[in-house]
Every structure is written in C-alpha cells, then in structure tokens.
Amino acid sequence: MLDQKEVNKFRFNQIQNQKILVGSNWVHSKSGQTQSIISPIDGKEISKLQVCDHLDVNDAVLSGRETYERGDWSNMPPINRKKIMLKIAELIEKNMLELAVLGARDNGTEINMALKAEPGSAAGTFRYYAEAIDKIYGEISNTSNNFLGLIHKEPVGVVAAIVPWNFPLMIGAWKIAPALAMGNSVVIKPSEAASLSLLKLGEICLEAGLPPGTLNIVTGNGRITGQALALHMDVDVLTFTGSGTTGRKLLEYSAQSNMKKIYQELGGKSPNIVFADTENLEEAAKVSTMGIFRNSGEVCVAGSRLLVEKEIHDEFLGMVYKFTKNLKIGDPLDLNNDIGAINSLSQLKSDLDFVEKAKSEGGKIEIGGNRVLEDSGGFYMEPTIISSVKQDTTIFQNEVFGPVLTVTPFENENDAVELSNATAFGLASGLWTSNLSRAHRMIRKIKAGTVFVNTYGGSDNTLPLTGVKQSGNGSDKSLHALDKFTDLKSVWMKI
Ligand code: TXE
C-alpha cells in the first residue's frame, strides 16, 4: 500500500534542466535550444528539455553504431549481458517511487497506476528479456547429408525507438529491453510531452554497467528530432508507438531514406461487447468502467466503444453510470483520487472537441463532458459517457485518447461483430458472455490483436501486444518482440 507521506517526499523535488545522453556523456543540444516541461498537475513549468536537431541525432546514432561495431555490448557473452539487464531491473525497482512520481508530474498519471504500470512494468520487462538472453538458440536446417544448413540469429545493429507520453517508461522498456537482449544499440526519443522518466532510465542503465553508447537518448519534438531519427541513413530498425498520422509519415521517411524496417503500434478504438447472458453484469460494468477511464482513457487498448445487447442496454448503462459517478478526479499524486490529469492542454482541447462533435452528430451526454478543476491551473476532464452513438459518427470511428466512452446498442451476434469491426483500427476488444461457444465464435470473427473475455485490460510479458488493420504491424512484449530486432542469416556449407 502506498503512503501519502512517501509520495510527498518526491513530489516537490527540484528537477534539474535536462540534458541528452550520447555515449557516456550527458550534453546539451548543439543548437542550445530548449523547451519547457509543463506539468499537467498545475500547468506550471517543472524543468526544461533539450530540443535536438539532426546534428544531435546524428551524434547519437553514430555513438550507437560505434559501440555496436566495437562489440562492447553486441559481442559481450550473453550471460554477462543478462547480468547487466537484471541489474537494470533491480535499480528500476530500487528507484520505483521516485520514478513513478517523476513520471506522474510529467504526464499526469494517477500515482497508484503510475507505480505499477511504469517502473513496476519496466522492471518486469527488463527481467523478462534478461532471462531470455541465454535461452535463444540458432537452428540447424534439415538439408541433405552432404550439406550443413545453419540459421544464425544476429542483432540488426542500431535500433531507433520513438515513444509516446501515456506510459513512457513501460512502452520505452518494451522496445529497449528486447532490442538490448539481442545485442543491438538503441537510440530512443521520448515524447516531448513526457521525457523525464526515460532520461532517468538512462542514468540507471549506465549505473548498471550498460556499456556507454549502447543506449542513447535524444529529446525534442516529433517534427524535428523524431523526423531526423526516422530519416537517418544508419538506423536499421525503427520501432514506434503513437498516432496513425505519425505512423504514416514514418513509412514515408523510411522510403525516402534507407528503407529501414518500421514496426508500429498505432492506437485503437476498441469495442467492449456485452451480451445479455453475461454472468455478473455488475462486475462487467465495474471492469468496463475502469477499462475506459483508467489513466483518463489515455491507454492504447482502452475499451472506448461499449456495445451492449439491446435488452440490457438501459440497465447496463445505468450500472456503468453509477461507477463513473463515483470516480474522483484530481491531483494524480493525491492518493484519494482515482483519475489524474490529462497529459497536455492540447490533448484536453482535442478531447473536448470530440465531445462537442459527438453532440452535434446526435450523441447524448449521460455524464461528464467538461473540463474541471481549472483553478488549479492543471488539465482535468470529467469521465464522460455518450449514448445513442451511431456507427458513421466521428466519435465512433476515431480514437479520442481521453476519458470518453461511447455506448451503442446491438441486436444479435452478427450485429455485434459488424459493429466491432466497423472502424479502421484493430488493437484490442472485450467480450462478455457466459456462452462458451459464442465466445469462441466471436473471438475468431473480431478483427483485433487482443480479445479480453469476461475481463478488460490486464496483461503480462508473456502475451504479445499487437495490432491488425491500421493499429500497426509490430508486436511489443513476449518472445515474439525479439524478432523485430533480429536478422536471420542462412549458412550453407558443403561437407
Ligand atoms: O502523438 P504523436 P501525440 C494517438 C492519440 C492521441 C494522438 C496524438 O489518439 O490523441 O495520437 O498524440 C513523435 N516524425 N496516440 O501528438 O504525434 C512524437 O514526438 C517522427 C496513440 O502525442 O504520434 C512522440 O515522441 N516522430 C498512442 C511520438 O511521435 C514524430 C500513443 C508520438 O507522438 C513525428 C500516443 C514525426 N513527424 C498517441 N511527429 C498509442 N498508440 O497508444 C511526432 N513524432
């Protein structure tokens, strides 16, 4: 159990202006340009971030390449690499609360969740891939006896990672840890809207003994820093989590540069389908409420489209309403609150615009829809439920990435499948029923990378997080994530 006094120990810490990590050095950007880091808790500046341009990005990629070619990490015996990665996990755990509070001040995530989902999950991820390192084998192929066919698994070289602001440490670890496990160097660019915890991870990695240059961190905005990284001719693989708009650009940058491989996780508009035969509707309502409002809906797999069988629509909506009404919004570092702040003013405005648009397209606001606690200077929004939402509306088709749940009734199984698959996304989905055969039929028909059955959310490192359709193409998590950072080499030897 978290203690408010423990949280308060870190909440007012002075945060130094940030630098970037290139090799073993923490340096300023070459242009000297910086930008403010605004805390969504109160809208105040808490630090400054370096804004890197192509020169800084080039230094970081070069540092990764030199380290890789020297073999400081790539040629280190797997058992030693494993020890260092386990040490990283240990140090993340040692600094857990500090990391969580730092992250929450930067991105507004409620502290209980931040603790579990950010350092908690990042430590687990480093440990998972560390333990995999010395259990990965090449293969001998089944050739005729006068030949020997070998399949080597090799690192790709320099991996670039561009990550968003909702769970920077967790998502960063999903990319850094498997890339390091395979022996690659990494250059990561956190979001300009939440960079602090990943910069701190850089310190931890060096302290754990990761050879300098194996992990480099550049900061700044997408248009300059991100673009320079994605266009770089010496990046072998780019792994990204963020919006589809940026995802499209990255594919173009790859084509314009060295055709680097691009793996993307691009968000979703996930359906959460509730059938009348659900065993415990009250439980389903409670879990579904948190399935959308956890972290203010700033979750890629958020169950943002509630689809409810007609005969229980009003009853179920009433239950979700009741749980939503009781959620406490406010300072993410106050343990009494359930939901913290929206990451930025621009994200808050975008969320509110979606609500207005939904109203104009026939949606009915059941609860919420407004900015709150404006006097605090922070960015807070009420959890919002919009009913009577039709398939062809803006809110049904687009990811809000905010605390907004839409509700749409359906007639039968076929109708539910059609509505589920009626957007361009395919990341996650939820399904509530006590009919096992129906569950299996639906699982096959729903176009999504994940189907939660009689639950919503929750996962561990053993399952891949992957999308279909415009939700992306590359899995994070699980041993499958290693494939992104591995080149296969066939060896054909005459005996
Ligand atoms: O995302 P961006 P934003 C969705 C969500 C949200 C919307 C906008 O719907 O409302 O995206 O959020 C970097 N070249 N998701 O603006 O812009 C950027 O600096 C290279 C869903 O934050 O995609 C940041 O590091 N890089 C999502 C990262 O891309 C560029 C998580 C993500 O920023 C770039 C986040 C460019 N031209 C947002 N432009 C999910 N999949 O869960 C931006 N970036």
Side-chain angles (χ1 to χ4, degrees), residues 29 31 39 48 51 79 91 96 112 144 197 223 248 302 329 332 377 393 396 403 436 445 465 467 487 490:
S29 67
S31 68
S39 175
K48 285 197 190 314
V51 179
I79 193 80
L91 290 176
M96 198 139 156
N112 280 294
S144 59
S197 54
R223 212 170 28 82
R248 277 176 205 280
I329 317 148
T393 56
F396 190 94
L436 206 56
K445 287 181 186 162
L465 173 64
D487 277 338
S490 290

PDB file of all heavy atoms in Angstrom, residues 29 31 39 48 51 79 91 96 112 144 197 223 248 302 329 332 377 393 396 403 436 445 465 467 487 490:
ATOM      1  N   SER A  29      21.912  20.131 -26.276  1.00  0.00           N
ATOM      2  CA  SER A  29      21.772  20.038 -27.735  1.00  0.00           C
ATOM      3  C   SER A  29      22.746  21.028 -28.369  1.00  0.00           C
ATOM      4  O   SER A  29      23.085  22.046 -27.749  1.00  0.00           O
ATOM      5  CB  SER A  29      20.348  20.357 -28.150  1.00  0.00           C
ATOM      6  OG  SER A  29      20.064  21.715 -27.881  1.00  0.00           O
ATOM      7  N   SER A  31      22.374  23.111 -30.760  1.00  0.00           N
ATOM      8  CA  SER A  31      21.796  24.436 -31.032  1.00  0.00           C
ATOM      9  C   SER A  31      21.562  25.211 -29.741  1.00  0.00           C
ATOM     10  O   SER A  31      21.329  26.411 -29.767  1.00  0.00           O
ATOM     11  CB  SER A  31      20.461  24.270 -31.754  1.00  0.00           C
ATOM     12  OG  SER A  31      19.524  23.685 -30.867  1.00  0.00           O
ATOM     13  N   SER A  39       3.967  20.715 -16.221  1.00  0.00           N
ATOM     14  CA  SER A  39       3.271  19.650 -15.503  1.00  0.00           C
ATOM     15  C   SER A  39       1.763  19.799 -15.683  1.00  0.00           C
ATOM     16  O   SER A  39       1.215  20.880 -15.422  1.00  0.00           O
ATOM     17  CB  SER A  39       3.600  19.693 -14.012  1.00  0.00           C
ATOM     18  OG  SER A  39       2.807  18.723 -13.354  1.00  0.00           O
ATOM     19  N   LYS A  48      13.320  22.008 -17.997  1.00  0.00           N
ATOM     20  CA  LYS A  48      13.466  22.306 -19.429  1.00  0.00           C
ATOM     21  C   LYS A  48      14.056  21.089 -20.137  1.00  0.00           C
ATOM     22  O   LYS A  48      14.871  20.352 -19.571  1.00  0.00           O
ATOM     23  CB  LYS A  48      14.382  23.514 -19.630  1.00  0.00           C
ATOM     24  CG  LYS A  48      13.719  24.834 -19.302  1.00  0.00           C
ATOM     25  CD  LYS A  48      14.525  25.965 -19.920  1.00  0.00           C
ATOM     26  CE  LYS A  48      14.096  27.348 -19.448  1.00  0.00           C
ATOM     27  NZ  LYS A  48      12.685  27.617 -19.425  1.00  0.00           N
ATOM     28  N   VAL A  51      16.077  20.467 -27.066  1.00  0.00           N
ATOM     29  CA  VAL A  51      15.441  20.203 -28.361  1.00  0.00           C
ATOM     30  C   VAL A  51      16.557  19.844 -29.346  1.00  0.00           C
ATOM     31  O   VAL A  51      17.359  20.692 -29.736  1.00  0.00           O
ATOM     32  CB  VAL A  51      14.647  21.430 -28.863  1.00  0.00           C
ATOM     33  CG1 VAL A  51      14.027  21.128 -30.218  1.00  0.00           C
ATOM     34  CG2 VAL A  51      13.575  21.809 -27.848  1.00  0.00           C
ATOM     35  N   ILE A  79      25.627 -14.320 -21.103  1.00  0.00           N
ATOM     36  CA  ILE A  79      25.448 -14.445 -19.654  1.00  0.00           C
ATOM     37  C   ILE A  79      25.798 -13.129 -18.939  1.00  0.00           C
ATOM     38  O   ILE A  79      25.173 -12.753 -17.955  1.00  0.00           O
ATOM     39  CB  ILE A  79      26.280 -15.654 -19.115  1.00  0.00           C
ATOM     40  CG1 ILE A  79      25.893 -16.013 -17.701  1.00  0.00           C
ATOM     41  CG2 ILE A  79      27.766 -15.425 -19.217  1.00  0.00           C
ATOM     42  CD1 ILE A  79      24.650 -16.821 -17.627  1.00  0.00           C
ATOM     43  N   LEU A  91      17.681  -1.918 -10.275  1.00  0.00           N
ATOM     44  CA  LEU A  91      17.797  -0.486  -9.970  1.00  0.00           C
ATOM     45  C   LEU A  91      16.495   0.265 -10.248  1.00  0.00           C
ATOM     46  O   LEU A  91      16.167   1.236  -9.550  1.00  0.00           O
ATOM     47  CB  LEU A  91      18.950   0.144 -10.765  1.00  0.00           C
ATOM     48  CG  LEU A  91      20.354  -0.286 -10.325  1.00  0.00           C
ATOM     49  CD1 LEU A  91      21.417   0.316 -11.241  1.00  0.00           C
ATOM     50  CD2 LEU A  91      20.612   0.141  -8.875  1.00  0.00           C
ATOM     51  N   MET A  96      11.828   2.962  -7.572  1.00  0.00           N
ATOM     52  CA  MET A  96      10.471   2.853  -8.096  1.00  0.00           C
ATOM     53  C   MET A  96       9.570   4.074  -7.828  1.00  0.00           C
ATOM     54  O   MET A  96       8.991   4.637  -8.743  1.00  0.00           O
ATOM     55  CB  MET A  96       9.854   1.608  -7.458  1.00  0.00           C
ATOM     56  CG  MET A  96       8.680   1.135  -8.191  1.00  0.00           C
ATOM     57  SD  MET A  96       8.776  -0.642  -8.228  1.00  0.00           S
ATOM     58  CE  MET A  96       7.078  -0.989  -8.448  1.00  0.00           C
ATOM     59  N   ASN A 112      -0.991   5.512  -8.081  1.00  0.00           N
ATOM     60  CA  ASN A 112      -1.059   4.052  -7.888  1.00  0.00           C
ATOM     61  C   ASN A 112      -0.841   3.337  -9.205  1.00  0.00           C
ATOM     62  O   ASN A 112      -0.114   2.345  -9.299  1.00  0.00           O
ATOM     63  CB  ASN A 112      -2.429   3.640  -7.331  1.00  0.00           C
ATOM     64  CG  ASN A 112      -2.486   3.885  -5.850  1.00  0.00           C
ATOM     65  OD1 ASN A 112      -1.776   3.254  -5.082  1.00  0.00           O
ATOM     66  ND2 ASN A 112      -3.318   4.842  -5.456  1.00  0.00           N
ATOM     67  N   SER A 144      20.184 -32.017 -47.022  1.00  0.00           N
ATOM     68  CA  SER A 144      20.720 -33.361 -47.283  1.00  0.00           C
ATOM     69  C   SER A 144      22.056 -33.507 -46.559  1.00  0.00           C
ATOM     70  O   SER A 144      22.679 -32.506 -46.175  1.00  0.00           O
ATOM     71  CB  SER A 144      20.880 -33.566 -48.781  1.00  0.00           C
ATOM     72  OG  SER A 144      21.749 -32.590 -49.297  1.00  0.00           O
ATOM     73  N   SER A 197      11.068  10.401 -17.139  1.00  0.00           N
ATOM     74  CA  SER A 197      11.356   9.074 -16.569  1.00  0.00           C
ATOM     75  C   SER A 197      12.305   8.274 -17.463  1.00  0.00           C
ATOM     76  O   SER A 197      13.135   7.513 -16.965  1.00  0.00           O
ATOM     77  CB  SER A 197      10.068   8.301 -16.290  1.00  0.00           C
ATOM     78  OG  SER A 197       9.283   8.231 -17.446  1.00  0.00           O
ATOM     79  N   ARG A 223       8.478  16.714 -35.123  1.00  0.00           N
ATOM     80  CA  ARG A 223       8.733  17.272 -36.454  1.00  0.00           C
ATOM     81  C   ARG A 223      10.224  17.438 -36.734  1.00  0.00           C
ATOM     82  O   ARG A 223      10.668  17.269 -37.866  1.00  0.00           O
ATOM     83  CB  ARG A 223       8.024  18.634 -36.557  1.00  0.00           C
ATOM     84  CG  ARG A 223       7.535  19.010 -37.913  1.00  0.00           C
ATOM     85  CD  ARG A 223       6.640  20.247 -37.843  1.00  0.00           C
ATOM     86  NE  ARG A 223       6.959  21.133 -36.717  1.00  0.00           N
ATOM     87  CZ  ARG A 223       7.926  22.035 -36.710  1.00  0.00           C
ATOM     88  NH1 ARG A 223       8.715  22.178 -37.754  1.00  0.00           N
ATOM     89  NH2 ARG A 223       8.125  22.813 -35.643  1.00  0.00           N
ATOM     90  N   ARG A 248       2.089   7.055 -40.531  1.00  0.00           N
ATOM     91  CA  ARG A 248       2.146   7.187 -41.995  1.00  0.00           C
ATOM     92  C   ARG A 248       3.411   7.920 -42.427  1.00  0.00           C
ATOM     93  O   ARG A 248       4.070   7.557 -43.390  1.00  0.00           O
ATOM     94  CB  ARG A 248       0.956   8.013 -42.495  1.00  0.00           C
ATOM     95  CG  ARG A 248      -0.296   7.244 -42.659  1.00  0.00           C
ATOM     96  CD  ARG A 248      -1.435   8.179 -43.063  1.00  0.00           C
ATOM     97  NE  ARG A 248      -2.684   7.570 -42.641  1.00  0.00           N
ATOM     98  CZ  ARG A 248      -3.311   6.612 -43.306  1.00  0.00           C
ATOM     99  NH1 ARG A 248      -2.826   6.191 -44.450  1.00  0.00           N
ATOM    100  NH2 ARG A 248      -4.419   6.075 -42.850  1.00  0.00           N
ATOM    101  N   ALA A 302      -7.665   1.032 -24.509  1.00  0.00           N
ATOM    102  CA  ALA A 302      -8.879   1.439 -23.772  1.00  0.00           C
ATOM    103  C   ALA A 302     -10.139   0.936 -24.470  1.00  0.00           C
ATOM    104  O   ALA A 302     -10.266   1.035 -25.695  1.00  0.00           O
ATOM    105  CB  ALA A 302      -8.926   2.964 -23.662  1.00  0.00           C
ATOM    106  N   ILE A 329     -11.709  12.662  -9.540  1.00  0.00           N
ATOM    107  CA  ILE A 329     -10.694  13.197 -10.455  1.00  0.00           C
ATOM    108  C   ILE A 329      -9.891  14.251  -9.707  1.00  0.00           C
ATOM    109  O   ILE A 329     -10.457  15.017  -8.926  1.00  0.00           O
ATOM    110  CB  ILE A 329     -11.333  13.943 -11.642  1.00  0.00           C
ATOM    111  CG1 ILE A 329     -12.517  13.150 -12.178  1.00  0.00           C
ATOM    112  CG2 ILE A 329     -10.322  14.241 -12.730  1.00  0.00           C
ATOM    113  CD1 ILE A 329     -13.573  14.056 -12.732  1.00  0.00           C
ATOM    114  N   PRO A 332      -2.982  13.870  -9.449  1.00  0.00           N
ATOM    115  CA  PRO A 332      -2.592  12.461  -9.568  1.00  0.00           C
ATOM    116  C   PRO A 332      -1.716  11.968  -8.419  1.00  0.00           C
ATOM    117  O   PRO A 332      -1.581  10.759  -8.218  1.00  0.00           O
ATOM    118  CB  PRO A 332      -1.819  12.409 -10.887  1.00  0.00           C
ATOM    119  CG  PRO A 332      -1.454  13.814 -11.206  1.00  0.00           C
ATOM    120  CD  PRO A 332      -2.471  14.685 -10.566  1.00  0.00           C
ATOM    121  N   GLY A 377      -5.016  25.278 -12.411  1.00  0.00           N
ATOM    122  CA  GLY A 377      -4.059  25.518 -13.491  1.00  0.00           C
ATOM    123  C   GLY A 377      -3.766  24.244 -14.271  1.00  0.00           C
ATOM    124  O   GLY A 377      -3.129  24.270 -15.320  1.00  0.00           O
ATOM    125  N   THR A 393     -20.512   7.984 -37.080  1.00  0.00           N
ATOM    126  CA  THR A 393     -20.154   9.284 -36.486  1.00  0.00           C
ATOM    127  C   THR A 393     -18.646   9.376 -36.219  1.00  0.00           C
ATOM    128  O   THR A 393     -17.949   8.357 -36.136  1.00  0.00           O
ATOM    129  CB  THR A 393     -20.901   9.505 -35.148  1.00  0.00           C
ATOM    130  OG1 THR A 393     -20.605   8.401 -34.281  1.00  0.00           O
ATOM    131  CG2 THR A 393     -22.399   9.595 -35.352  1.00  0.00           C
ATOM    132  N   PHE A 396     -17.395   7.548 -33.054  1.00  0.00           N
ATOM    133  CA  PHE A 396     -17.397   6.086 -33.147  1.00  0.00           C
ATOM    134  C   PHE A 396     -16.157   5.612 -33.913  1.00  0.00           C
ATOM    135  O   PHE A 396     -15.610   4.542 -33.640  1.00  0.00           O
ATOM    136  CB  PHE A 396     -18.663   5.614 -33.875  1.00  0.00           C
ATOM    137  CG  PHE A 396     -18.909   4.131 -33.822  1.00  0.00           C
ATOM    138  CD1 PHE A 396     -19.722   3.579 -32.832  1.00  0.00           C
ATOM    139  CD2 PHE A 396     -18.338   3.272 -34.762  1.00  0.00           C
ATOM    140  CE1 PHE A 396     -19.957   2.200 -32.788  1.00  0.00           C
ATOM    141  CE2 PHE A 396     -18.561   1.906 -34.716  1.00  0.00           C
ATOM    142  CZ  PHE A 396     -19.370   1.366 -33.728  1.00  0.00           C
ATOM    143  N   PRO A 403     -10.932  10.583 -21.605  1.00  0.00           N
ATOM    144  CA  PRO A 403     -11.924   9.882 -20.781  1.00  0.00           C
ATOM    145  C   PRO A 403     -13.324   9.932 -21.383  1.00  0.00           C
ATOM    146  O   PRO A 403     -14.238  10.518 -20.810  1.00  0.00           O
ATOM    147  CB  PRO A 403     -11.848  10.652 -19.459  1.00  0.00           C
ATOM    148  CG  PRO A 403     -11.456  12.034 -19.860  1.00  0.00           C
ATOM    149  CD  PRO A 403     -10.587  11.918 -21.064  1.00  0.00           C
ATOM    150  N   LEU A 436     -19.920 -20.238 -23.862  1.00  0.00           N
ATOM    151  CA  LEU A 436     -18.565 -20.557 -24.317  1.00  0.00           C
ATOM    152  C   LEU A 436     -18.464 -20.664 -25.837  1.00  0.00           C
ATOM    153  O   LEU A 436     -17.499 -20.194 -26.451  1.00  0.00           O
ATOM    154  CB  LEU A 436     -18.150 -21.891 -23.666  1.00  0.00           C
ATOM    155  CG  LEU A 436     -16.674 -22.138 -23.482  1.00  0.00           C
ATOM    156  CD1 LEU A 436     -16.020 -21.035 -22.679  1.00  0.00           C
ATOM    157  CD2 LEU A 436     -16.467 -23.487 -22.778  1.00  0.00           C
ATOM    158  N   LYS A 445     -14.034 -14.058 -35.091  1.00  0.00           N
ATOM    159  CA  LYS A 445     -14.553 -13.052 -36.034  1.00  0.00           C
ATOM    160  C   LYS A 445     -14.097 -11.622 -35.731  1.00  0.00           C
ATOM    161  O   LYS A 445     -14.119 -10.764 -36.602  1.00  0.00           O
ATOM    162  CB  LYS A 445     -16.088 -13.095 -36.025  1.00  0.00           C
ATOM    163  CG  LYS A 445     -16.629 -14.334 -36.730  1.00  0.00           C
ATOM    164  CD  LYS A 445     -18.141 -14.300 -36.716  1.00  0.00           C
ATOM    165  CE  LYS A 445     -18.705 -15.598 -37.286  1.00  0.00           C
ATOM    166  NZ  LYS A 445     -20.106 -15.783 -36.899  1.00  0.00           N
ATOM    167  N   LEU A 465       1.539  -7.728 -27.513  1.00  0.00           N
ATOM    168  CA  LEU A 465       0.588  -6.648 -27.762  1.00  0.00           C
ATOM    169  C   LEU A 465       0.760  -6.296 -29.228  1.00  0.00           C
ATOM    170  O   LEU A 465       1.782  -5.737 -29.637  1.00  0.00           O
ATOM    171  CB  LEU A 465       0.893  -5.433 -26.894  1.00  0.00           C
ATOM    172  CG  LEU A 465       0.046  -4.194 -27.205  1.00  0.00           C
ATOM    173  CD1 LEU A 465      -1.431  -4.440 -26.916  1.00  0.00           C
ATOM    174  CD2 LEU A 465       0.527  -2.985 -26.423  1.00  0.00           C
ATOM    175  N   GLY A 467      -1.270  -5.339 -33.174  1.00  0.00           N
ATOM    176  CA  GLY A 467      -2.475  -4.803 -33.794  1.00  0.00           C
ATOM    177  C   GLY A 467      -2.669  -5.347 -35.186  1.00  0.00           C
ATOM    178  O   GLY A 467      -1.732  -5.849 -35.812  1.00  0.00           O
ATOM    179  N   ASP A 487      18.137 -10.276 -37.103  1.00  0.00           N
ATOM    180  CA  ASP A 487      18.274 -10.657 -38.514  1.00  0.00           C
ATOM    181  C   ASP A 487      18.575 -12.143 -38.571  1.00  0.00           C
ATOM    182  O   ASP A 487      19.372 -12.654 -37.779  1.00  0.00           O
ATOM    183  CB  ASP A 487      19.438  -9.888 -39.175  1.00  0.00           C
ATOM    184  CG  ASP A 487      18.999  -8.500 -39.615  1.00  0.00           C
ATOM    185  OD1 ASP A 487      17.784  -8.292 -39.799  1.00  0.00           O
ATOM    186  OD2 ASP A 487      19.877  -7.624 -39.760  1.00  0.00           O
ATOM    187  N   SER A 490      21.311 -17.225 -43.160  1.00  0.00           N
ATOM    188  CA  SER A 490      21.420 -18.635 -43.547  1.00  0.00           C
ATOM    189  C   SER A 490      22.859 -18.955 -43.913  1.00  0.00           C
ATOM    190  O   SER A 490      23.513 -18.199 -44.634  1.00  0.00           O
ATOM    191  CB  SER A 490      20.533 -18.911 -44.755  1.00  0.00           C
ATOM    192  OG  SER A 490      19.198 -18.845 -44.371  1.00  0.00           O
TER     193      SER A 490
END
